[in-house]
Amino acid sequence: MDPQEERPGCCFDEWASANARRARSKETVAGVTKPLLDALERTGLAGRTVLDVGCGVGDLMLALLARGASTGTGMDLGAEGIRQARDLASSRGLADRATFVVGDGAVAPLAAADVVVLNRVVCCYPDVDALIANATGAAQRVFAFTAPVDRGIVGAFNRVSTWCSNRWYTLRPGKYRGFRVFVHDLDAVERKVRAAGFERTGDDRVRAVWRLEVFARP
């Protein structure tokens, strides 16, 4: 086993166990993941490779494979999430087409893939520059992300909710080990994605408190 897979998983491990239970009966776990999956399918998945950075239990990547993508790699900081993802791939009959590894998508070398996705990952990084640069550098055709809405009433709600969550995490350092969540300037994120050579597909939307953005190379 890779030594990285023995690293403590913070709260990610506990969340992974809960998400894995949901993934046994649902195609995707989080509410925003289904519209993201549908949007990516509209870009054309047949024969394409997928890289899911921050894959959690792998539900999104495995659903992309089930809908036509050829092979996929999922990366996550949490070792328990990776273990659960491998189990889920086996239960869905996709283990031969899916690879899951422990790693930090902001710094780990990322293999090139046709489709690269950051689903509910941007909010886990205090500074997203390295994450966006690394992920877009691996994306050959399509790049997509979901992140908390940062504008208007919903954005204000997200900032208050984030502040409350971070206060709670601070009060339980033994469990959360310094973990924090963030609401980033999504216009700035989009500028970085455009600078990497991508254009919005027009398939963007808000799902509850999340914003979904899909980009493609022209």
Side-chain angles (χ1 to χ4, degrees), residues 67-115:
R67 294 195 184 193
S70 60
T71 60
T73 298
M75 176 179 287
D76 199 87
L77 285 168
E80 179 61 21
I82 293 303
R83 283 192 285 269
Q84 295 285 1
R86 290 169 181 162
D87 287 346
L88 187 62
S90 295
S91 69
R92 294 188 181 183
L94 296 168
D96 60 330
R97 296 161 55 197
T99 300
F100 292 100
V101 297
V102 175
D104 184 342
V107 297
L110 300 179
D114 295 317
V115 180

Side-chain angles (χ1 to χ4, degrees), residues 130-146:
L131 176 67
I132 297 299
N134 207 24
T136 54
Q140 303 301 293
R141 298 186 180 183
V142 175
F143 176 79
F145 71 86
T146 61

